[in-house]
């Protein structure tokens, strides 16, 4: 459900512009300094729109002057000052010749350094990790922020390209209009070239055609009569363009006979049709008049109830959770649970083999940057009223920093559910017991908009130790133009590769896979992965009961033993344990992975190129030996990658994974056969998984939480307008 | 996770007593009338405790004088006056000799009568359905409420017994103490007979031993030193008792060497250890100062947003949702979605073949009554502050009605999530768009406490047409005594059949299956079931892309074609469509079943007796031809049933199900390998499924819902105590 190409284009412009926005609206500094950082003048449309957003009353929450940010924690992202230093080093490294920065982030210190660090310690040396291109070559550099020393890593053995920059997208989005052939085609289709908008889609890699040059495939739409131009594709036209030279390589046009859908009823804005607004008369709200129960120390360290974790935006992953620890209610000790967790890669293959569609097999994080594709959240509708917000500082293609405000929200949730409960009539114990406890959790939310699609990623922390990761899909289904306006026009033998959603609009069948990197460190780095297999066992001696389900635990010795496909009829639980630490009664402490829906598996042939490139979807669960460089399950250079640097490749090395530092990987999957309800904008669909303590605590860790009593709850009255 | 036997015992007393409670606290009537209905004097402990509960401020919501209830809707449950009439008819039918009423509920009118009925019409004749036992025989009677006419149905061909009554349980719970052998055994184990409490467990049916008589297997606990006696089993003692004669048939004692766990730290009450209470300092609450957006017309008809449905308590099913209809936002027409939905049966097999455990294979709804096992909800902790409550009127074994107050809650939920959202940078369309909508839903909740286990059943209605059914498990895991206090004492070859949870306590492995009856009537009664199969397809002619996923729809012709096991690697969507009605573009209108977690399948041998009795777990999805009498998937008489009246048997008739009135059945499954966090009370675990519109609407039905704006939201302040 993600067409990143379009998003790329939009955000390429956005990327260049947001720097400006940042300066103009975020800094209480002199104007001269602002002007140096951001070029608002050249991007006034953006500045204006961002200006509007920033006026929203709750946008100011957590806002502060990022120019004076200093790192407090070894994992804090690079600050504006640090990025500016690094930018000068890069400029000088490339000797003032043309270059583009594709990524500029903190090179996280080695794990042992981070684990040893304590608040108040001297921070470890700050190193920047830079991915850049210059003169047609990929560069991986590390820059010592203080000394400016640069180290270069050999990239010649790695296929593919780094994620496209906003500037890449911006520079190609208008390229087709420079072609007379393209303009002719468009006019023949009855579209005014002034109404054309093209979106840059990643081409994948299928061999020769994509070899040796960085390509983009542009697909075009008309923006006439609706803001929801996604519903008005100029079907069948693909403009293949070289991202480095900007040269148009080929214009494919297979859609001459296909009318452009009219886009009727596709505008989803409130303002589009005020007469038809449906509103529940009595508002319902999550209220917390005393403020939240969490604090965010030093901009990134979130502390709530028994949890603490480091939270930051990342241009590629969206958000990164680090050092998630929970306090043991019995001993008071703060215990390690997860060293690092993030969405490592996505895979969104469309199921249409035709020429304008077959290559649509996106890997959003590695091709476009899941974090780069975010926009500020709507403070009352993306997140509840009690949320606090966090900004991102990202680098533009010139290496200079910009701020993207409010792309993460953090809030406590109470949804009316019980954390535990029991009622006991008085019969046995002489008194009736009715004990129930409210379930309150903490959510860290991030939303990426990949052109048409919106991905909402929630990390939810529960006081009972459970971490729930959830991905919700909404936004627009990318559609295909068709000549049909009714299914009765379709020949039985014809495959539309999707559902007729509206006149001349087909929602093409596709999948979404989201792969999570979960570096679990249960009470320390040395952990094991245990397959807790549930198998049918037969009783003996003509017992009345013939069969039962028996638990059989197997510790995975090597990576291949931990390549797991979920099996409903041959089930297992999947535990990460610390074999060196037991509870009082002798169980190894651990956490288990619990899928909850979203278990769709990839249906592509394993040897199909898109599948090889996204081979992390070959299994649902993987466990690898910790290797700092193995973070991006679709490969470091995912764009046009050949599938030679994937989780499958690493895992096939079959390294020992018993009682050592291991990383768990889990892939959430959705099959999406579109339906008319997805038009023109799709109601949210969610799935997720839990990381759940299993013999981690000696007993229920929330046994002693307090129930709600009336006198503690807020006193609320309706506002005048309600 | 459900041991109903215990619950039965507790509730048997409760059942008799609640009548009293009802009279004393619910009726603003003269005392004389109350005294006639309820015997509070003989059950003072109960009255006292209920009295306390009923004082809670929100308990009064929806409370009214049930003595004057009259039926308004054809599906309204029998009123107190109607039950009293029927009770007199039954008494007279059995000619004043001994009888026990096991069920007394409304015999719902035929579907066509209900569908034709309109508000204001004369209500159809009221008929009571009565299941009773007298002189060792099962009776199925229908009683015309007005005329008193009785019709008797032949029951000789049906194996098993009706669910046990509260009085059955009450009368057997103390039976063991009358046995000298039992008392000797108990004393030998170091337990004072005054501290012994036994719980009546259903014996299942394994052949000869359970043949021809209604049995119960009592297991005993000590109630000394903790209210959580479940954690103090007197392991290995099973007292087999005849429920009709009260005769003790056998005392099995295989646990002499097993110490009784001390129960240390097992008291979960707030009052148990006030010093250790953990409380988040700042309360968070779901607030709705203007009141709810739903109304409950005539006590049972819930209307909220675009939904309406009939809601009632049922002694066997817990709650029944009927006539769920949604208003089409385009046409304004109120459209049928689901004629009836409820939890039809449960299956909870424990995975321990030893003598005191092998028979523990409960079918809670049919053996004990899922509804009968409910207690009043905690108004601030079981449900949010903005909830409204609904009572149940059930019949005691003498046929007389009693009220169980507040066992259902209804509330609107806003959990901080978006119903849909999209952001669009200004690049293409010249203006930034940021549109998001809050997700507000309506929840109808019911909680059954089956002895140790608590099942929370939620029916959640979303404005986008989705119905989410969810079951949450909490309460206590039933445990087994053991001599071990550390896993290092356990021989490698020994199977404990569970996890050592605490000193001398094993949490035995078990499953939970909850089977839902879903009579979908999509825009009418004649529907079809479509398997929307997703299969790998190969491209031709050396195309760059080798494979894709193709949709292949098959309409199930007969019941056997709709016996479905979910397959992760051979996936399908499952649609119920109306083949006679299409959308404007020609798609058949429909709903799809979407499992979301909880897909565990039964691991027992299909020929094992417990599995045959609970054969509804052989598949996850079934579709049967509508037959009014086929409602209880484990059989009408589930207690000691032989498996000859199950969903499997009905479905194997292989009736035609295309374009006719059909019923969809779905089974939610949980494997539960207990862990220490489950001791002494288990944090809630949830799973569910969606019924989701698929081409039911022409487009997204919540396209035009309003976003939240600050001025509409309530103004709240903290209370003094917070």
């Amino acid at each position: 459900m993600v067409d990143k190409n379009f998003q790329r284009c939009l955000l390429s412009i956005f990327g260049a512009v947001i720097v400006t926005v940042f300066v103009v609206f975020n800094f209480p500094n002199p104007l001269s300094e602002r002007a140096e950082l951001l070029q608002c003048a050249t991007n006034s449309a953006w500045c204006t729109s961002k200006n509007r957003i920033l006026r929203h009353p709750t946008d100011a929450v957590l806002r502060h002057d990022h120019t004076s940010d200093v790192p407090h924690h070894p994992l804090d992202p690079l600050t504006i000052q640090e990025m500016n230093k690094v930018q000068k080093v890069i400029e000088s490294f490339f000797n003032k010749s043309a270059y583009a920065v594709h990524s500029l982030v903190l090179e996280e210190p080695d794990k042992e350094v981070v684990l040893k660090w304590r608040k108040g310690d001297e921070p470890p040396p700050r190193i920047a990790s830079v991915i850049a291109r210059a003169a047609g070559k990929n560069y991986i550099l590390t820059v010592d922020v203080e000394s400016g020393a640069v180290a270069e890593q050999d990239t010649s053995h790695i296929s593919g390209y780094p994620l496209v920059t906003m500037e890449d997208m911006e520079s190609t989005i208008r390229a087709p209009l420079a072609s007379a052939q393209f303009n002719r085609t468009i006019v023949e289709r009855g579209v005014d070239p002034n109404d054309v908008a093209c979106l840059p889609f990643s081409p994948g890699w299928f061999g020769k055609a994509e070899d040796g040059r960085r390509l983009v495939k542009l697909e075009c739409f008309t923006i006439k009569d609706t803001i929801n131009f996604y519903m008005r594709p100029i079907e069948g036209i693909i403009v293949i363009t070289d991202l480095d030279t900007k040269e148009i390589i080929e214009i494919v046009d297979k859609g001459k006979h296909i009318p452009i859908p009219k886009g009727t009823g596709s505008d989803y804005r409130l303002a589009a049709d005020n007469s038809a607004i449906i509103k529940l008369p009595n508002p319902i709200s999550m209220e917390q008049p005393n403020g939240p129960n969490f604090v965010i120390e030093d901009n990134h360290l979130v502390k709530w109830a028994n949890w603490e974790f480091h939270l930051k935006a990342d241009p590629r992953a969206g958000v990164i959770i680090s050092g998630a620890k929970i306090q043991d209610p019995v001993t008071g000790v703060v215990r390690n649970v997860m060293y690092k967790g993030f969405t490592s890669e996505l895979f969104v293959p469309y199921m249409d083999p035709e020429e304008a569609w077959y290559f649509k097999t996106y890997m959003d994080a590695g091709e476009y940057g899941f974090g780069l594709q975010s926009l500020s959240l709507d403070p009352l509708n993306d997140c509840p009223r009690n949320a606090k917000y966090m900004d991102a500082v990202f680098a533009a293609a010139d290496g200079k920093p910009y701020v993207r405000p409010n792309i993460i929200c953090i809030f406590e949730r109470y949804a009316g559910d019980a954390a535990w409960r029991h009622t006991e009539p008085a019969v046995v114990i002489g008194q009736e017991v009715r004990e129930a406890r409210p379930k309150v959790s903490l959510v860290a939310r991030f939303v990426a908009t990949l052109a048409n699609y919106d991905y909402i990623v929630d990390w939810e922390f529960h006081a009972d130790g459970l971490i729930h990761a959830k991905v919700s899909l909404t936004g627009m289904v990318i559609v295909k133009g068709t000549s049909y306006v009714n299914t009765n026009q379709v020949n039985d033998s014809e495959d539309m590769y999707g559902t007729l959603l509206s006149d001349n609009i087909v929602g093409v069948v596709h999948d979404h896979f989201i792969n999570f990197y979960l570096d679990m460190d249960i009470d320390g780095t040395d952990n094991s992965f245990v397959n807790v297999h549930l198998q049918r066992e037969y009783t003996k001696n003509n017992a009345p009961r013939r069969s039962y389900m028996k638990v059989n635990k197997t510790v995975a010795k090597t990576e291949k033993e931990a390549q797991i496909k979920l099996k409903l009829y041959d089930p297992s639980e999947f535990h990460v344990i610390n074999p060196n630490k037991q509870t009082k009664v002798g169980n190894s402490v651990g956490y288990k992975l619990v899928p909850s829906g979203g278990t769709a598996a990839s249906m592509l042939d394993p040897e199909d190129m898109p599948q090889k490139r996204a081979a992390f979807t070959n299994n649902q669960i993987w466990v690898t030996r910790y290797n700092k460089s193995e973070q991006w399950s679709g490969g470091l250079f995912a764009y046009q990658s050949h599938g030679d640097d994937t989780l499958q490749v690493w895992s096939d090395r079959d390294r020992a994974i018993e009682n050592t530092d291991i990383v768990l990987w889990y892939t959430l999957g959705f099959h999406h056969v579109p339906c008319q309800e997805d038009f023109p904008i799709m109601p949210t669909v969610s799935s997720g998984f839990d990381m759940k303590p299993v013999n981690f605590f000696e007993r229920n860790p929330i046994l002693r939480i307090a129930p709600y009593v009336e006198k503690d709850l807020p006193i609320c009255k309706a506002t005048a307008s309600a």
Side-chain angles (χ1 to χ4, degrees), chain A residues 42 114 174 197 236 270-271 317 322 334 366 386 402 408 478 498 553 626 717:
Chain A
T42 63
V114 176
R174 315 251 176 240
L270 180 68
S322 301
V334 175
N386 61 332
Y402 62 90
I408 297 171
I478 199 76
K553 298 184 183 184
Y626 176 80
K717 60 175 187 177

Side-chain angles (χ1 to χ4, degrees), chain A residues 49 56 74 136 180 297 341 510 512 544 575:
Chain A
S49 71
H56 198 288
E297 286 182 2
H510 56 279
H512 296 261
H575 296 199

Side-chain angles (χ1 to χ4, degrees), chain A residues 54-74:
Chain A
L54 291 173
R55 273 205 306 268
H56 198 288
T58 66
D59 271 77
V61 178
L62 280 185
R63 183 73 38 76
H64 65 273
D65 179 355
H66 289 280
T67 46
S68 55
D69 281 356
V70 289
H72 296 276
H73 185 283

Side-chain angles (χ1 to χ4, degrees), chain A residues 647-663:
Chain A
L647 177 53
Q648 176 82 57
V649 173
W650 312 330
S651 168
D652 281 347
R653 289 180 198 143
D654 208 20
R655 293 163 291 193
I657 55 169
E658 192 178 357
N659 199 7
T660 185
D661 196 358
I662 56 176
V663 176

Side-chain angles (χ1 to χ4, degrees), chain A residues 81-126:
Chain A
Q81 292 179 14
E82 289 175 330
M83 283 191 178
N84 279 329
K85 274 191 191 176
V86 173
Q87 192 273 335
K88 290 196 173 68
V89 174
I90 297 167
E91 212 170 51
S92 145
F93 177 83
F94 288 114
N95 204 16
K96 306 255 173 192
S97 61
Y99 70 88
V101 170
H102 290 251
S103 172
L104 196 179
V105 295
L106 176 78
E107 172 78 18
E108 293 189 353
D110 285 346
K111 197 167 177 173
E112 51 271 32
V113 173
V114 176
L115 290 173
K116 268 185 205 143
W117 183 87
R118 289 291 171 273
K119 191 167 177 160
D121 289 359
E122 185 78 7
R126 299 282 288 178

Side-chain angles (χ1 to χ4, degrees), chain A residues 624-657:
Chain A
T624 55
R625 192 179 175 98
Y626 176 80
N627 177 332
K628 197 180 163 192
S629 74
E630 294 171 2
Q631 295 212 76
W632 308 109
S633 52
L636 180 66
F637 292 159
Y639 203 91
Q640 287 175 241
S641 67
H642 301 188
D644 43 14
D645 178 32
T646 68
L647 177 53
Q648 176 82 57
V649 173
W650 312 330
S651 168
D652 281 347
R653 289 180 198 143
D654 208 20
R655 293 163 291 193
I657 55 169

Side-chain angles (χ1 to χ4, degrees), chain A residues 11 66 71 184 249 291 329 362 385 419 463 489 560 577 638 696:
Chain A
L11 288 184
H66 289 280
R184 246 189 337 267
I249 292 164
Y362 309 114
R385 193 188 204 183
Q489 299 168 316
K560 283 189 182 173
I577 63 157
F696 181 79

